Amino acid sequence: MKTITIRLPDVEVAMFEELRKSGGAYARLGQAIAQAVRQEYGKLLKLGGNR
């Protein structure tokens, strides 16, 4: 497993922490990013198969 580092200004960090407290996708950001990557990669594979 790899770690992705995201650099945010202090204001955005504070906003992000509030979003995480509210639940939703931001509470599970790692899972949300992994799902988005899988979806986009799937689209890429479909495009490559049509060439």
Side-chain angles (χ1 to χ4, degrees):
M1 185 173 294
K2 298 283 184 177
T3 299
I4 297 173
T5 302
I6 300 172
R7 294 177 182 259
L8 295 173
D10 292 340
V11 172
E12 280 81 6
V13 171
M15 289 188 282
F16 176 71
E17 288 301 323
E18 290 300 316
L19 287 171
R20 285 185 53 175
K21 290 177 190 176
S22 69
Y26 289 101
R28 300 173 309 279
L29 186 58
Q31 291 173 346
I33 291 172
Q35 182 179 6
V37 167
R38 286 186 198 103
Q39 289 174 348
E40 290 301 315
Y41 189 74
K43 291 177 189 176
L44 182 66
L45 290 178
K46 288 180 185 177
L47 288 175
N50 292 333
R51 291 181 186 177

